[in-house]
Amino acid sequence: MAGSFRAELIKRSPEPIDLYEVSLDTARVQDPKDEGPFVEYIRAVLAGRKLDLIVPVGAPAAFFMQRYRQLLFPTTPMLIVGADVRRISTATRTEDDVAVLLDLDLPAYLKNILHLLPETKEVAVVVGNSPVERFWASELRRDFQPFAEQVNITWFDHLSFGEMLERAATMPPRSTIFWFLLSEDAAGVPYSQDRALEMMREVAVVPIFGMGDYELGRGIVGGPLMQTSVLGREAAEAGLRILRGEAQGGMNPPLVAFGAPMYDWRELQRWKIDEALLPHGSIVQFREPTVWQQYRSQIIGALAIVLFQAALIAGLLFERQARKRAAEQAGKARMETGRYRENLAHLVRVHTVGEMSAAIAHEVNQPLVAIKNYALAARRRLAGVVDAAKVEELLDKIGAQASRAGDVLQSLRAMVKKHESEATEVEVGPLVANALKLVELEGRNGNIRVETSISPGLPPVVVDGIQIQQVVLNLTRNAIEAIAEAGIASSVIKVGIVRTAENEIAVSVADCGPGIAPEDAEHIFDPFYSTKGAGLGVGLSISRAIAEAHGGRLSLTPNAGGGCVFKFTLPVAKQGY
């Protein structure tokens, strides 16, 4: 909502607008008496600035501003955006307040589920345990009560998120999940709603339905949805009217209700929901034509690559299931045995490749698109005056792009293939550079650049190349995830390779992220210890074990410019090896 509002306001305003944004961590503040630091922070940020408009987004922010209005901005107009009409009553607003509010039709969510899946016997409602979510849990229980005789409704508001995932993975047939809100679970743990929804979609064995358009594309089937883009647009219109000097008392924006139902074509296909059942006027997004329909004449040339990719994906899915079964037994096994370490290292590699699947698919898709374009160009050449040299050049380019895709897939196959540890003499520079190719695209998606500095003339080392690449992947992906979770707009990860005075090769990964707290740094290499909500907690312990098995060591130090530096060493190969 905030993003849509900002974009519309800037686009439609005839004059430049200065925007100051303050985020209130309302999930962590349960008592208004604890809000003093927020109030002082806002006063400090906006000291000396004359504001023309205050825009709280959502009911918790609106309540906060109403409590401290007289202290902070007693004469500034206020525009409340995105709260539901149930939460913000007319009686609580002053004549200087304008509100663009929601009107959520809660029963419509359940009606949509039963219309598309009339044989549904159970609906599990995902809602958290923060003050906001406890309010909505009460509203949902009341509005869903008329359906109690038609369908069994279960509630997840008393569960931790881990327990929610277990329930989602074991729900019986003819069940569905309705995802409403989850910012804090019953254990008091806060979550990112987008990531939490994606995690549930990964394990759920039944369809998931949601409440807002911002969830479409993250795993929900769809239906009538809260319209965040419409809220932003309506709010921008009201904001511009206020900034032009129009009296707030005469403004009464209409409530924003549901628009045309929207659905994710991929989820409809996944759960075999017939599009003929969709309500009239529904919008279906993410519709994908088949590869054969798109590239009927070009697919023959790329068939071998596509088949290999399909086999690799099937193998990854199989390995993922094996990883789940093995992970349940991993806590019971003895960490001291070498075979256990090798098996766990293999599972971590498969898990890492699985998480990078979107970036991998993009990296493979690039040469496939290039092959298509070169093939079309060659066809046009052959249809006209034949330029043999140009056609031969295009065929060479097709071959080069096919080799590029093949190299990516070969690297992935080496990463996920289970093998006995085998040490050979290799050069660390190219080994690390090849590993970084797999994470560069993932970094670019988050506006994170990976810079590499390799000292010239480095001697070789005797290592298992796949295991060393695994360590590099673990460290660089940890840095990318830390920067992304901290909300840093752009950053640089520096990877350096040098020879030390102890006749070792040192590989360092330095980031400018949020760093690691001292209490976490003491345990960061412990097995099953993770600072990430969805982390397995084995990546760094496996990386240290790999480094030590090769006669080196892995260490953590703070980065002078903020963030942290992970460094591992490898002994130089002996002469005559």
Side-chain angles (χ1 to χ4, degrees):
M1 284 187 283
S4 176
F5 170 73
R6 287 195 303 268
E8 287 289 329
L9 193 69
I10 293 172
K11 180 175 69 174
R12 298 170 59 180
S13 173
E15 299 176 351
I17 295 179
D18 288 331
L19 291 160
Y20 305 94
E21 183 168 346
V22 179
S23 296
L24 305 182
D25 196 356
T26 54
R28 297 181 186 270
V29 179
Q30 303 294 329
D31 193 324
K33 69 181 182 182
D34 297 327
E35 293 175 339
F38 281 137
V39 176
E40 294 305 318
Y41 172 66
I42 293 174
R43 295 179 71 175
V45 169
L46 301 178
R49 296 185 173 94
K50 180 183 179 300
L51 300 183
D52 299 300
L53 182 63
I54 309 162
V55 187
V57 180
F63 295 152
F64 175 88
M65 287 308 308
Q66 287 174 340
R67 284 194 293 273
Y68 300 102
R69 179 74 173 278
Q70 292 303 314
L71 178 62
L72 293 172
F73 315 107
T75 61
T76 306
M78 183 164 70
L79 171 63
I80 300 172
V81 180
D84 189 86
V85 67
R86 297 172 179 82
R87 301 274 279 161
I88 305 294
S89 65
T90 305
T92 64
R93 305 202 306 262
T94 71
E95 61 181 11
D96 291 329
D97 297 345
V98 177
V100 177
L101 302 179
L102 281 166
D103 185 11
L104 292 180
D105 181 3
L106 300 182
Y109 290 125
L110 206 51
K111 291 176 183 178
N112 173 63
I113 295 174
L114 297 176
H115 175 73
L116 296 186
L117 300 169
E119 297 183 357
T120 300
K121 299 299 181 185
E122 179 177 351
V123 176
V125 180
V126 177
V127 63
N129 197 43
S130 69
V132 173
E133 290 158 330
R134 287 196 292 272
F135 168 85
W136 282 113
S138 174
E139 293 292 307
L140 288 165
R141 280 184 166 89
R142 186 190 66 217
D143 285 5
F144 284 3
Q145 182 59 37
F147 300 89
E149 295 183 0
Q150 186 177 354
V151 64
N152 179 40
I153 301 176
T154 58
W155 302 86
F156 281 6
D157 54 339
H158 64 288
L159 302 177
S160 69
F161 185 54
E163 292 169 333
M164 294 183 192
L165 294 180
E166 291 178 5
R167 294 279 292 274
T170 57
M171 293 189 68
R174 295 191 291 182
S175 301
T176 61
I177 297 171
F178 174 52
W179 180 283
F180 191 77
L181 284 175
L182 180 63
S183 61
E184 179 183 308
D185 67 6
V189 179
Y191 287 91
S192 163
Q193 291 210 66
D194 291 345
R195 179 58 185 146
L197 173 58
E198 291 168 355
M199 291 174 64
M200 182 165 286
R201 194 265 186 192
E202 290 177 2
V203 302
V205 295
V206 297
I208 302 176
F209 290 79
M211 62 87 68
D213 57 6
Y214 59 92
E215 298 165 337
L216 203 66
R218 297 186 181 276
I220 68 168
V221 175
L225 299 173
M226 180 182 76
Q227 302 183 88
T228 54
S229 58
V230 174
L231 282 164
R233 187 166 60 248
E234 294 292 335
E237 172 62 26
L240 289 172
R241 291 170 64 185
I242 295 172
L243 294 175
R244 287 195 296 264
E246 186 172 335
Q248 288 79 38
M251 296 175 58
N252 188 24
L255 297 176
V256 177
F258 296 142
M262 294 188 292
Y263 296 90
D264 188 328
W265 179 85
R266 299 165 300 184
E267 298 300 317
L268 295 174
Q269 297 296 309
R270 179 186 182 190
W271 301 111
K272 297 180 174 56
I273 299 175
D274 190 350
E275 288 191 44
L277 296 174
L278 303 185
H280 178 70
S282 295
I283 300 170
V284 179
Q285 297 186 359
F286 309 109
R287 189 185 300 277
E288 301 173 357
T290 64
V291 175
W292 180 255
Q293 290 172 332
Q294 279 188 296
Y295 311 114
R296 186 183 300 271
S297 60
Q298 291 79 23
I299 198 170
I300 302 301
L303 184 59
I305 296 175
V306 173
L307 290 176
F308 185 80
Q309 183 183 21
L312 176 62
I313 293 173
L316 288 173
L317 293 174
F318 177 80
E319 289 287 350
R320 183 185 179 198
Q321 295 301 319
R323 173 180 58 80
K324 287 184 179 179
R325 293 192 296 269
E328 294 174 355
Q329 303 170 0
K332 304 175 183 178
R334 298 178 58 194
M335 291 293 291
E336 295 79 13
T337 63
R339 182 164 297 278
Y340 175 82
R341 185 177 64 245
E342 293 174 5
N343 288 340
L344 188 57
H346 172 247
L347 294 176
V348 172
R349 289 200 302 274
V350 174
H351 176 77
T352 301
V353 173
E355 288 187 333
M356 297 169 62
S357 57
I360 291 169
H362 182 86
E363 189 69 13
V364 173
N365 188 55
Q366 293 277 45
L368 292 180
V369 171
I371 288 173
K372 171 196 170 184
N373 292 334
Y374 291 145
L376 287 173
R379 179 183 291 274
R380 288 194 295 268
R381 293 281 178 175
L382 293 174
V385 178
V386 177
D387 184 346
K390 186 61 178 179
V391 172
E392 184 176 354
E393 177 187 346
L394 291 170
L395 293 175
D396 289 340
K397 290 182 177 180
I398 290 174
Q401 292 297 327
S403 298
R404 174 186 168 191
D407 289 343
V408 173
L409 296 174
Q410 185 64 28
S411 298
L412 293 175
R413 182 175 182 275
M415 286 295 294
V416 301
K417 181 180 179 182
K418 193 171 184 179
H419 73 291
E420 296 294 331
S421 179
E422 180 181 358
T424 58
E425 186 176 285
V426 298
E427 294 184 6
V428 177
L431 190 70
V432 171
N434 286 335
L436 293 178
K437 289 179 181 178
L438 297 177
V439 296
E440 285 179 347
L441 180 61
E442 191 173 15
R444 288 197 300 270
N445 290 339
N447 202 20
I448 300 170
R449 190 171 72 256
V450 179
E451 294 182 354
T452 307
S453 174
I454 304 175
S455 297
L458 294 176
V461 294
V462 179
V463 296
D464 183 315
I466 295 299
Q467 291 187 358
I468 299 305
Q469 287 185 323
Q470 180 177 357
V471 174
V472 175
L473 281 178
N474 284 345
L475 300 183
T476 51
R477 293 194 74 248
N478 281 351
I480 290 173
E481 291 175 0
I483 293 170
E485 289 182 3
I488 299 173
S490 63
S491 189
V492 177
I493 296 173
K494 296 184 178 181
V495 179
I497 308 174
V498 298
R499 185 173 184 173
T500 70
E502 291 79 17
N503 203 30
E504 295 175 319
I505 301 297
V507 181
S508 61
V509 178
D511 67 70
C512 298
I516 296 176
E519 60 270 20
D520 289 325
E522 295 179 3
H523 305 284
I524 199 68
F525 294 109
D526 293 348
F528 306 108
Y529 184 88
S530 176
T531 60
K532 297 181 290 186
L536 295 176
V538 295
L540 288 176
S541 64
I542 284 296
S543 297
R544 170 172 275 188
I546 290 174
E548 292 176 350
H550 286 83
R553 59 195 178 279
L554 173 60
S555 61
L556 164 66
T557 57
N559 192 356
C564 54
V565 180
F566 283 90
K567 181 172 71 174
F568 68 92
T569 61
L570 300 169
V572 171
K574 296 180 180 179
Q575 294 291 332
Y577 175 83

Short mmCIF file of all heavy atoms in Angstrom, two decimals, residues 339-381:
data_model
loop_
_atom_site.label_atom_id
_atom_site.label_comp_id
_atom_site.label_asym_id
_atom_site.label_seq_id
_atom_site.Cartn_x
_atom_site.Cartn_y
_atom_site.Cartn_z
N ARG A 339 31.82 -40.20 7.53
CA ARG A 339 30.77 -40.47 6.55
C ARG A 339 29.55 -39.61 6.82
O ARG A 339 28.91 -39.14 5.88
CB ARG A 339 30.39 -41.95 6.57
CG ARG A 339 29.32 -42.32 5.53
CD ARG A 339 29.25 -43.81 5.32
NE ARG A 339 30.51 -44.32 4.78
CZ ARG A 339 30.83 -44.27 3.50
NH1 ARG A 339 30.00 -43.73 2.64
NH2 ARG A 339 31.98 -44.75 3.07
N TYR A 340 29.23 -39.40 8.09
CA TYR A 340 28.08 -38.54 8.40
C TYR A 340 28.33 -37.12 7.88
O TYR A 340 27.46 -36.49 7.30
CB TYR A 340 27.84 -38.50 9.90
CG TYR A 340 26.74 -37.53 10.30
CD1 TYR A 340 25.41 -37.90 10.23
CD2 TYR A 340 27.06 -36.24 10.72
CE1 TYR A 340 24.41 -37.02 10.57
CE2 TYR A 340 26.07 -35.35 11.06
CZ TYR A 340 24.74 -35.74 11.00
OH TYR A 340 23.77 -34.87 11.34
N ARG A 341 29.57 -36.62 8.06
CA ARG A 341 29.89 -35.28 7.60
C ARG A 341 29.75 -35.18 6.08
O ARG A 341 29.24 -34.20 5.55
CB ARG A 341 31.31 -34.91 8.02
CG ARG A 341 31.67 -33.46 7.67
CD ARG A 341 33.06 -33.08 8.17
NE ARG A 341 34.09 -33.86 7.53
CZ ARG A 341 34.88 -34.74 8.15
NH1 ARG A 341 34.71 -34.95 9.45
NH2 ARG A 341 35.81 -35.42 7.50
N GLU A 342 30.21 -36.22 5.36
CA GLU A 342 30.11 -36.19 3.91
C GLU A 342 28.66 -36.21 3.46
O GLU A 342 28.26 -35.48 2.54
CB GLU A 342 30.86 -37.38 3.31
CG GLU A 342 32.38 -37.31 3.51
CD GLU A 342 33.06 -38.58 3.05
OE1 GLU A 342 32.36 -39.45 2.50
OE2 GLU A 342 34.29 -38.69 3.24
N ASN A 343 27.83 -37.05 4.12
CA ASN A 343 26.41 -37.11 3.74
C ASN A 343 25.72 -35.78 4.02
O ASN A 343 24.93 -35.29 3.21
CB ASN A 343 25.71 -38.23 4.52
CG ASN A 343 26.12 -39.61 4.04
OD1 ASN A 343 26.62 -39.76 2.92
ND2 ASN A 343 25.92 -40.62 4.86
N LEU A 344 25.99 -35.21 5.19
CA LEU A 344 25.35 -33.95 5.53
C LEU A 344 25.82 -32.83 4.60
O LEU A 344 25.04 -31.97 4.20
CB LEU A 344 25.65 -33.59 6.99
CG LEU A 344 24.88 -32.38 7.55
CD1 LEU A 344 23.38 -32.60 7.42
CD2 LEU A 344 25.25 -32.17 9.01
N ALA A 345 27.10 -32.84 4.25
CA ALA A 345 27.60 -31.84 3.31
C ALA A 345 26.87 -31.94 1.97
O ALA A 345 26.53 -30.94 1.34
CB ALA A 345 29.11 -32.00 3.10
N HIS A 346 26.63 -33.19 1.54
CA HIS A 346 25.90 -33.40 0.28
C HIS A 346 24.48 -32.86 0.38
O HIS A 346 23.97 -32.20 -0.53
CB HIS A 346 25.87 -34.89 -0.05
CG HIS A 346 24.98 -35.23 -1.22
ND1 HIS A 346 23.82 -35.96 -1.08
CD2 HIS A 346 25.06 -34.89 -2.52
CE1 HIS A 346 23.24 -36.07 -2.26
NE2 HIS A 346 23.96 -35.43 -3.15
N LEU A 347 23.80 -33.10 1.52
CA LEU A 347 22.44 -32.60 1.70
C LEU A 347 22.41 -31.08 1.70
O LEU A 347 21.50 -30.46 1.16
CB LEU A 347 21.86 -33.16 3.00
CG LEU A 347 21.63 -34.67 3.04
CD1 LEU A 347 21.14 -35.10 4.41
CD2 LEU A 347 20.64 -35.09 1.97
N VAL A 348 23.40 -30.47 2.32
CA VAL A 348 23.46 -29.01 2.34
C VAL A 348 23.64 -28.46 0.93
O VAL A 348 23.06 -27.44 0.56
CB VAL A 348 24.60 -28.52 3.27
CG1 VAL A 348 24.79 -27.02 3.15
CG2 VAL A 348 24.26 -28.87 4.73
N ARG A 349 24.47 -29.14 0.11
CA ARG A 349 24.65 -28.68 -1.28
C ARG A 349 23.33 -28.75 -2.03
O ARG A 349 22.96 -27.81 -2.76
CB ARG A 349 25.69 -29.54 -2.00
CG ARG A 349 27.11 -29.32 -1.53
CD ARG A 349 28.11 -29.81 -2.56
NE ARG A 349 27.99 -31.21 -2.90
CZ ARG A 349 28.55 -32.20 -2.23
NH1 ARG A 349 29.26 -31.94 -1.14
NH2 ARG A 349 28.40 -33.45 -2.61
N VAL A 350 22.59 -29.86 -1.86
CA VAL A 350 21.30 -30.00 -2.55
C VAL A 350 20.33 -28.93 -2.07
O VAL A 350 19.60 -28.33 -2.86
CB VAL A 350 20.72 -31.41 -2.31
CG1 VAL A 350 19.32 -31.52 -2.89
CG2 VAL A 350 21.62 -32.46 -2.94
N HIS A 351 20.31 -28.69 -0.75
CA HIS A 351 19.43 -27.65 -0.21
C HIS A 351 19.78 -26.28 -0.79
O HIS A 351 18.89 -25.49 -1.16
CB HIS A 351 19.57 -27.64 1.31
CG HIS A 351 18.77 -26.54 1.99
ND1 HIS A 351 17.42 -26.61 2.17
CD2 HIS A 351 19.17 -25.35 2.51
CE1 HIS A 351 17.01 -25.52 2.77
NE2 HIS A 351 18.05 -24.73 2.98
N THR A 352 21.08 -25.98 -0.90
CA THR A 352 21.52 -24.70 -1.44
C THR A 352 21.08 -24.54 -2.89
O THR A 352 20.56 -23.50 -3.29
CB THR A 352 23.05 -24.57 -1.33
OG1 THR A 352 23.43 -24.68 0.04
CG2 THR A 352 23.52 -23.23 -1.89
N VAL A 353 21.30 -25.58 -3.69
CA VAL A 353 20.90 -25.54 -5.11
C VAL A 353 19.39 -25.37 -5.22
O VAL A 353 18.89 -24.63 -6.05
CB VAL A 353 21.37 -26.81 -5.84
CG1 VAL A 353 20.80 -26.84 -7.25
CG2 VAL A 353 22.88 -26.84 -5.91
N GLY A 354 18.63 -26.05 -4.33
CA GLY A 354 17.18 -25.91 -4.34
C GLY A 354 16.75 -24.48 -4.08
O GLY A 354 15.85 -23.96 -4.73
N GLU A 355 17.39 -23.81 -3.11
CA GLU A 355 17.04 -22.42 -2.81
C GLU A 355 17.40 -21.48 -3.96
O GLU A 355 16.80 -20.43 -4.12
CB GLU A 355 17.76 -21.97 -1.54
CG GLU A 355 17.21 -22.58 -0.25
CD GLU A 355 17.84 -21.97 0.98
OE1 GLU A 355 18.99 -21.50 0.88
OE2 GLU A 355 17.17 -21.97 2.03
N MET A 356 18.41 -21.87 -4.76
CA MET A 356 18.84 -21.02 -5.87
C MET A 356 18.13 -21.37 -7.17
O MET A 356 18.53 -20.94 -8.24
CB MET A 356 20.36 -21.18 -6.09
CG MET A 356 21.20 -20.73 -4.90
SD MET A 356 22.92 -21.23 -5.06
CE MET A 356 23.37 -20.36 -6.55
N SER A 357 17.04 -22.16 -7.08
CA SER A 357 16.41 -22.68 -8.29
C SER A 357 15.96 -21.58 -9.24
O SER A 357 16.08 -21.69 -10.45
CB SER A 357 15.22 -23.58 -7.93
OG SER A 357 14.29 -22.85 -7.14
N ALA A 358 15.42 -20.46 -8.68
CA ALA A 358 14.96 -19.38 -9.56
C ALA A 358 16.11 -18.76 -10.33
O ALA A 358 16.02 -18.52 -11.53
CB ALA A 358 14.25 -18.31 -8.72
N ALA A 359 17.23 -18.48 -9.64
CA ALA A 359 18.39 -17.92 -10.32
C ALA A 359 18.96 -18.89 -11.34
O ALA A 359 19.39 -18.51 -12.43
CB ALA A 359 19.46 -17.53 -9.30
N ILE A 360 18.98 -20.20 -10.99
CA ILE A 360 19.50 -21.23 -11.91
C ILE A 360 18.65 -21.28 -13.17
O ILE A 360 19.17 -21.32 -14.30
CB ILE A 360 19.53 -22.59 -11.21
CG1 ILE A 360 20.59 -22.59 -10.10
CG2 ILE A 360 19.81 -23.70 -12.20
CD1 ILE A 360 20.50 -23.79 -9.20
N ALA A 361 17.31 -21.28 -12.98
CA ALA A 361 16.43 -21.33 -14.14
C ALA A 361 16.67 -20.13 -15.05
O ALA A 361 16.67 -20.25 -16.27
CB ALA A 361 14.97 -21.37 -13.68
N HIS A 362 16.86 -18.94 -14.46
CA HIS A 362 17.14 -17.75 -15.27
C HIS A 362 18.45 -17.90 -16.03
O HIS A 362 18.55 -17.56 -17.21
CB HIS A 362 17.18 -16.52 -14.36
CG HIS A 362 17.41 -15.24 -15.12
ND1 HIS A 362 16.38 -14.52 -15.68
CD2 HIS A 362 18.55 -14.57 -15.42
CE1 HIS A 362 16.88 -13.45 -16.28
NE2 HIS A 362 18.19 -13.45 -16.13
N GLU A 363 19.47 -18.40 -15.35
CA GLU A 363 20.79 -18.55 -15.97
C GLU A 363 20.75 -19.52 -17.15
O GLU A 363 21.42 -19.32 -18.16
CB GLU A 363 21.79 -19.04 -14.91
CG GLU A 363 23.23 -19.03 -15.37
CD GLU A 363 23.79 -17.63 -15.56
OE1 GLU A 363 23.15 -16.65 -15.11
OE2 GLU A 363 24.85 -17.49 -16.17
N VAL A 364 19.95 -20.61 -17.03
CA VAL A 364 19.82 -21.56 -18.13
C VAL A 364 18.93 -20.99 -19.23
O VAL A 364 19.13 -21.24 -20.42
CB VAL A 364 19.25 -22.91 -17.61
CG1 VAL A 364 18.95 -23.85 -18.76
CG2 VAL A 364 20.24 -23.55 -16.65
N ASN A 365 17.91 -20.19 -18.84
CA ASN A 365 16.98 -19.66 -19.81
C ASN A 365 17.63 -18.66 -20.75
O ASN A 365 17.24 -18.54 -21.91
CB ASN A 365 15.80 -18.99 -19.09
CG ASN A 365 14.69 -18.60 -20.04
OD1 ASN A 365 14.18 -19.42 -20.79
ND2 ASN A 365 14.34 -17.33 -20.03
N GLN A 366 18.66 -17.93 -20.27
CA GLN A 366 19.32 -16.92 -21.10
C GLN A 366 19.88 -17.51 -22.39
O GLN A 366 19.60 -17.02 -23.48
CB GLN A 366 20.43 -16.23 -20.29
CG GLN A 366 19.91 -15.39 -19.13
CD GLN A 366 19.46 -14.01 -19.58
OE1 GLN A 366 18.78 -13.89 -20.58
NE2 GLN A 366 19.81 -12.99 -18.84
N PRO A 367 20.72 -18.57 -22.32
CA PRO A 367 21.22 -19.14 -23.58
C PRO A 367 20.12 -19.76 -24.43
O PRO A 367 20.21 -19.77 -25.66
CB PRO A 367 22.25 -20.18 -23.12
CG PRO A 367 21.94 -20.45 -21.70
CD PRO A 367 21.37 -19.19 -21.16
N LEU A 368 19.06 -20.29 -23.79
CA LEU A 368 17.97 -20.87 -24.58
C LEU A 368 17.28 -19.77 -25.42
O LEU A 368 16.94 -19.98 -26.58
CB LEU A 368 16.96 -21.55 -23.68
CG LEU A 368 17.43 -22.82 -22.95
CD1 LEU A 368 16.32 -23.39 -22.10
CD2 LEU A 368 17.93 -23.85 -23.95
N VAL A 369 17.07 -18.60 -24.80
CA VAL A 369 16.47 -17.48 -25.54
C VAL A 369 17.41 -17.04 -26.67
O VAL A 369 16.97 -16.74 -27.79
CB VAL A 369 16.17 -16.31 -24.58
CG1 VAL A 369 15.75 -15.08 -25.37
CG2 VAL A 369 15.09 -16.70 -23.59
N ALA A 370 18.73 -17.01 -26.37
CA ALA A 370 19.69 -16.62 -27.40
C ALA A 370 19.67 -17.63 -28.56
O ALA A 370 19.73 -17.26 -29.72
CB ALA A 370 21.09 -16.54 -26.79
N ILE A 371 19.60 -18.94 -28.23
CA ILE A 371 19.53 -19.97 -29.28
C ILE A 371 18.32 -19.73 -30.17
O ILE A 371 18.38 -19.82 -31.40
CB ILE A 371 19.49 -21.37 -28.62
CG1 ILE A 371 20.86 -21.70 -28.03
CG2 ILE A 371 19.08 -22.43 -29.64
CD1 ILE A 371 20.87 -22.98 -27.22
N LYS A 372 17.18 -19.41 -29.52
CA LYS A 372 15.97 -19.15 -30.29
C LYS A 372 16.18 -17.99 -31.27
O LYS A 372 15.83 -18.07 -32.45
CB LYS A 372 14.81 -18.85 -29.34
CG LYS A 372 13.57 -18.35 -30.05
CD LYS A 372 12.62 -17.70 -29.07
CE LYS A 372 11.50 -16.98 -29.83
NZ LYS A 372 10.60 -16.25 -28.95
N ASN A 373 16.74 -16.88 -30.74
CA ASN A 373 16.91 -15.69 -31.58
C ASN A 373 17.89 -15.95 -32.73
O ASN A 373 17.67 -15.52 -33.87
CB ASN A 373 17.40 -14.52 -30.72
CG ASN A 373 16.34 -14.07 -29.75
OD1 ASN A 373 15.14 -14.24 -30.00
ND2 ASN A 373 16.76 -13.49 -28.62
N TYR A 374 19.01 -16.63 -32.44
CA TYR A 374 19.97 -16.92 -33.50
C TYR A 374 19.36 -17.85 -34.54
O TYR A 374 19.60 -17.73 -35.74
CB TYR A 374 21.22 -17.57 -32.89
CG TYR A 374 22.04 -16.62 -32.05
CD1 TYR A 374 22.71 -17.08 -30.91
CD2 TYR A 374 22.15 -15.27 -32.36
CE1 TYR A 374 23.46 -16.22 -30.11
CE2 TYR A 374 22.89 -14.40 -31.58
CZ TYR A 374 23.54 -14.88 -30.46
OH TYR A 374 24.27 -14.04 -29.68
N ALA A 375 18.54 -18.83 -34.08
CA ALA A 375 17.90 -19.75 -35.02
C ALA A 375 16.94 -19.01 -35.94
O ALA A 375 16.86 -19.27 -37.14
CB ALA A 375 17.18 -20.85 -34.26
N LEU A 376 16.17 -18.04 -35.35
CA LEU A 376 15.26 -17.25 -36.18
C LEU A 376 16.04 -16.42 -37.21
O LEU A 376 15.63 -16.29 -38.37
CB LEU A 376 14.43 -16.33 -35.29
CG LEU A 376 13.32 -17.01 -34.45
CD1 LEU A 376 12.70 -16.02 -33.49
CD2 LEU A 376 12.26 -17.60 -35.37
N ALA A 377 17.15 -15.85 -36.76
CA ALA A 377 17.96 -15.05 -37.67
C ALA A 377 18.50 -15.92 -38.81
O ALA A 377 18.52 -15.51 -39.98
CB ALA A 377 19.11 -14.40 -36.91
N ALA A 378 18.95 -17.13 -38.49
CA ALA A 378 19.46 -18.03 -39.51
C ALA A 378 18.35 -18.41 -40.50
O ALA A 378 18.57 -18.48 -41.71
CB ALA A 378 20.05 -19.28 -38.85
N ARG A 379 17.14 -18.66 -39.97
CA ARG A 379 16.01 -19.00 -40.85
C ARG A 379 15.74 -17.86 -41.84
O ARG A 379 15.47 -18.10 -43.03
CB ARG A 379 14.78 -19.30 -39.99
CG ARG A 379 13.53 -19.64 -40.78
CD ARG A 379 12.34 -19.84 -39.87
NE ARG A 379 12.51 -21.05 -39.07
CZ ARG A 379 12.17 -22.25 -39.49
NH1 ARG A 379 11.67 -22.41 -40.71
NH2 ARG A 379 12.34 -23.31 -38.72
N ARG A 380 15.77 -16.60 -41.33
CA ARG A 380 15.53 -15.47 -42.24
C ARG A 380 16.61 -15.38 -43.31
O ARG A 380 16.34 -15.04 -44.47
CB ARG A 380 15.45 -14.17 -41.43
CG ARG A 380 14.19 -14.03 -40.59
CD ARG A 380 14.02 -12.60 -40.09
NE ARG A 380 15.07 -12.23 -39.18
CZ ARG A 380 14.99 -12.39 -37.86
NH1 ARG A 380 13.90 -12.90 -37.33
NH2 ARG A 380 15.98 -12.01 -37.08
N ARG A 381 17.87 -15.66 -42.93
CA ARG A 381 18.96 -15.63 -43.91
C ARG A 381 18.74 -16.68 -45.00
O ARG A 381 18.97 -16.44 -46.18
CB ARG A 381 20.29 -15.88 -43.20
CG ARG A 381 20.70 -14.76 -42.26
CD ARG A 381 21.30 -13.60 -43.03
NE ARG A 381 21.66 -12.51 -42.14
CZ ARG A 381 22.29 -11.42 -42.52
NH1 ARG A 381 22.63 -11.27 -43.79
NH2 ARG A 381 22.58 -10.46 -41.66
#
